[in-house]
Amino acid sequence: MCGIVGFLAKTPELRANLGEFVVPMLTCMGDRGPDSAGLAVFESPTPGLLRRYSLFVPRSDYNWSDLRGRLMAHFGGEINLIARERHALFTAGVDAATFRRHFESHEPELHLLSAGRSISMFKDEGHPKDISDSYGFTKLTGTHSVGHTRMATESAVSPAHAHPFTAGEDFCLVHNGSLSNPYSIRRKLEKKGIRFETDNDTEAACRFLEWRMREGNTLEEALRQGFEELDGFFTLLMATANKLVLVRDPFACKPAVVAETDDYVAISSEYRALAHLPNARQANIFEPVPEQIYSWTV
Amino acid sequence: MDRVITLDLEKQTVREINQFLHHDLGETSARVEILNPFGVHNIAVGRDAPVDVDIRGHAGYFTAGMNKQARVTVHGNVGWSVAENIMSGEVRVKGCASECAGASGHGGLVVIEGDASSRCGISMKGCDIVVGGEVGHMSAFMAQAGTLLVCGDAGPSLGDSLYETVIYVGGAIHSLGADAREEPLTADDRATIARLLAAARLERDPGSFKRVASARSLYHWHAGADHKAYS
């Protein structure tokens, strides 16, 4: 089944309390996806060469301050690292490609979940409520956020198979549904040198769209090509540094509902995840129609 | 004045409320008010007695599913599959309905005063569905019996693989599905439309609707008609 949630805060007050709004939505959608969950939040972009990185390690006793020491020794300069359980968020003046190569060769135990000037991300196994509690999601701030609760149907339950998926910088995607041609998309992309981290169908959609954007398309153009390439059921919710974008497949097989007020745009698989938001009953509530691209800019 | 029994989903679970409606309410002339639905699923499913139930707010999936005899009114929107498998009685939605409204309904009346989303009346088996606004794609897909009356526009592939359900559309039809065809509106059709509009308490001109029914070329087996295998 799976649940998706998205939130774009239009006011400084809501941005300062982003997590307070998103966590009840994510917890509510735990009914649709109790086996794992993830959340990406976007904040104002870091200046210059500074990048935000989110890391995951599959054990709880990892020594993050040692890692910080090793990274500072290797790259020089200041590295600001905040560890939370099996995740760490840090900022560094090192570009994403260099960091990715470094982790692959020197820190193979670590998984780089996201990279960019705006994005931070968490994902793990377990009930969304427990994950929200252990990583302190209610305290998160930012302009917009994308979350997912997973009920696995096509590949393993693991932190790496949880959503959101990322590719490139400042792009993430969550998916409710299942694709029937992920392997043909994957073979096509692998021939172009694009590497995959899991056998999850959603990763194929994420890497396809990011590949198109890297080739010069806008996300909207990439999605129009995606409608031709992606076969199966999907409600896809995506975020870039300054946008929240939502589409449903041509048959609208998987649900989505949007509530928009002067203060926020909130998206979920089901209305009940939106029902307790401030002024939800006065919100403009609508159901996205098939194959139409809905986009909101921060 | 009728007695009113008020139930509150902020104080009770949907299971407790449904058990009350099924087992404890009994034969009564009381009206039941359900407050604070907040999009919860399965409210007032499976009721089997002629009671009036008002749900005050937006409700979730399967609202008033399998309804028998009861008259359920939702003062808001509903999620997927409102009144699915309705047997008799009336389910009225004052707002809009998401997908599969009235799916598989055997009898009774479903009224959506606003718009209904895709697959409205999918596989309906004898109920009547009246929609004040539009319906989405693939509405009345494989619908077998009963009537779907749409006052507004109908989305793509209306009535695909239709059996004996008859569809009336007041607005524009985006496209017809396989084996669905537009047919001339007869005096009987106008009488049926007038009866359904009156039951739904909607005012429209019965003569302004288009009739869509099955061409019956898909579900009759044309054995031997064009069989070349042995010739």
Side-chain angles (χ1 to χ4, degrees):
Chain A
M1 197 148 56
C2 299
I4 59 163
V5 299
F7 194 88
L8 185 148
K10 298 181 185 177
T11 67
E13 295 74 32
L14 267 64
R15 287 173 184 173
N17 297 291
L18 190 77
E20 300 272 348
F21 299 102
V22 174
V23 167
M25 295 167 65
L26 194 72
T27 304
C28 178
M29 287 297 94
D31 292 358
R32 294 181 64 93
D35 65 43
S36 31
L39 190 72
V41 289
F42 291 76
E43 296 170 87
S44 359
T46 48
L49 292 173
L50 211 56
R51 293 288 182 275
R52 299 175 199 270
Y53 296 99
S54 307
L55 287 175
F56 175 81
V57 67
R59 62 187 168 101
S60 323
D61 56 350
Y62 189 79
N63 191 327
W64 291 106
S65 73
D66 278 4
L67 172 74
R68 179 169 173 268
R70 287 199 300 279
L71 292 175
M72 282 172 62
H74 185 88
F75 291 107
E78 184 57 28
I79 284 183
N80 177 21
L81 187 147
I82 304 163
R84 285 184 193 162
E85 301 273 324
R86 310 205 285 176
H87 286 67
L89 307 177
F90 68 99
T91 50
V94 181
D95 72 88
T98 306
F99 241 141
R100 209 176 289 277
R101 276 197 304 276
H102 176 77
F103 282 119
E104 282 169 5
S105 55
H106 292 76
E107 310 283 352
E109 196 182 3
L110 294 171
H111 301 272
L112 186 58
L113 294 183
S114 70
R117 296 174 65 186
S118 295
I119 188 173
S120 304
M121 209 178 89
F122 302 85
K123 59 183 187 177
D124 208 341
E125 264 178 80
H127 193 277
K129 174 154 194 345
D130 299 333
I131 293 170
S132 297
D133 289 346
S134 55
Y135 292 110
F137 285 174
T138 49
K139 294 204 168 54
L140 293 171
T141 61
T143 47
H144 55 302
S145 177
V146 162
H148 188 265
T149 63
R150 183 165 185 245
M151 183 183 283
T153 52
E154 53 67 59
S155 59
V157 175
S158 84
H161 288 81
H163 304 212
F165 280 89
T166 61
E169 290 190 46
D170 284 327
F171 174 63
C172 77
L173 176 150
V174 295
H175 173 206
N176 174 201
S178 56
L179 299 178
S180 48
N181 64 342
Y183 288 101
S184 63
I185 293 170
R186 184 180 174 132
R187 282 193 294 273
K188 184 170 159 177
L189 296 179
E190 279 173 338
K191 280 182 197 156
K192 299 176 193 304
I194 293 168
R195 288 169 54 198
F196 283 71
E197 289 170 8
T198 72
D199 57 348
N200 182 285
D201 59 342
T202 305
E203 189 180 352
C206 182
R207 296 207 182 276
F208 173 82
L209 295 170
E210 194 273 336
W211 166 61
R212 289 315 315 155
M213 287 192 283
R214 213 156 9 92
E215 294 290 313
N217 292 139
T218 63
L219 179 53
E220 287 80 358
E221 289 163 349
L223 280 165
R224 275 188 275 279
Q225 294 174 47
F227 288 134
E228 303 298 318
E229 293 277 343
L230 304 176
D231 188 21
F233 308 145
F234 52 87
T235 292
L236 300 175
L237 177 62
M238 292 142 285
T240 64
N242 67 343
K243 272 185 185 174
L244 203 54
V245 179
L246 175 69
V247 295
R248 298 175 78 196
D249 69 64
F251 291 93
C253 286
K254 293 294 172 183
V257 58
V258 180
E260 182 164 12
T261 71
D262 289 342
D263 294 337
Y264 62 80
V265 178
I267 297 160
S268 179
S269 300
E270 299 177 19
Y271 170 74
R272 68 197 166 106
L274 311 174
H276 295 274
L277 289 170
N279 301 316
R281 285 203 66 179
Q282 283 75 48
N284 174 27
I285 296 166
F286 65 93
E287 191 177 66
V289 301
E291 250 185 353
Q292 189 163 316
I293 299 167
Y294 295 84
S295 172
W296 296 269
T297 304
V298 170
Chain B
M1 192 173 157
D2 287 350
R3 197 161 62 93
V4 177
I5 296 168
T6 304
L7 306 169
D8 190 339
L9 274 158
E10 288 217 305
K11 297 177 183 150
Q12 289 172 282
T13 66
V14 71
R15 180 165 293 181
E16 286 165 347
I17 284 178
N18 285 339
Q19 283 176 347
F20 175 83
L21 292 175
H22 290 182
H23 303 299
D24 305 325
L25 187 60
E27 292 296 319
T28 176
S29 61
R31 203 163 55 76
V32 177
E33 291 259 335
I34 300 178
L35 307 181
N36 296 313
F38 285 117
V40 165
H41 303 327
N42 308 323
I43 300 173
V45 294
R47 180 70 187 133
D48 184 10
V51 65
D52 287 290
V53 178
D54 286 276
I55 300 170
R56 301 281 174 188
H58 303 315
Y61 291 10
F62 302 110
T63 304
M66 301 178 283
N67 188 67
K68 255 178 154 176
Q69 304 188 70
R71 293 168 298 271
V72 180
T73 304
V74 182
H75 300 264
N77 303 326
V78 290
W80 286 40
S81 302
V82 62
E84 61 88 33
N85 233 63
I86 181 174
M87 302 304 286
S88 64
E90 180 184 314
V91 176
R92 178 180 291 269
V93 177
K94 307 289 277 184
C96 297
S98 184
E99 302 195 14
C100 302
S104 285
H106 285 252
L109 175 66
V110 182
V111 181
I112 312 295
E113 294 188 3
D115 298 328
S117 179
S118 54
R119 294 177 272 271
C120 177
I122 182 172
S123 194
M124 54 192 280
K125 295 175 173 68
C127 67
D128 291 321
I129 303 176
V130 180
V131 179
E134 305 173 2
V135 293
H137 65 274
M138 300 203 85
S139 286
F141 177 62
M142 293 188 86
Q144 291 136 59
T147 310
L148 171 64
L149 180 83
V150 182
C151 297
D153 299 343
S157 299
L158 177 70
D160 194 284
S161 307
L162 198 58
Y163 289 85
E164 290 303 289
T165 289
V166 174
I167 307 168
Y168 300 107
V169 182
I173 297 171
H174 181 281
S175 62
L176 293 172
D179 210 30
R181 69 178 180 194
E182 205 176 314
E183 295 178 346
L185 199 70
T186 65
D188 281 352
D189 289 320
R190 277 192 287 275
T192 302
I193 294 166
R195 175 180 61 77
L196 288 172
L197 287 170
R201 302 197 292 278
L202 292 172
E203 285 187 14
R204 303 285 191 282
D205 171 16
S208 67
F209 285 78
K210 299 184 239 329
R211 175 191 158 99
V212 173
S214 173
R216 300 177 182 170
S217 61
L218 274 181
Y219 71 87
H220 285 302
W221 193 247
H222 294 291
D226 191 23
H227 214 292
K228 300 283 199 303
Y230 296 103
S231 61

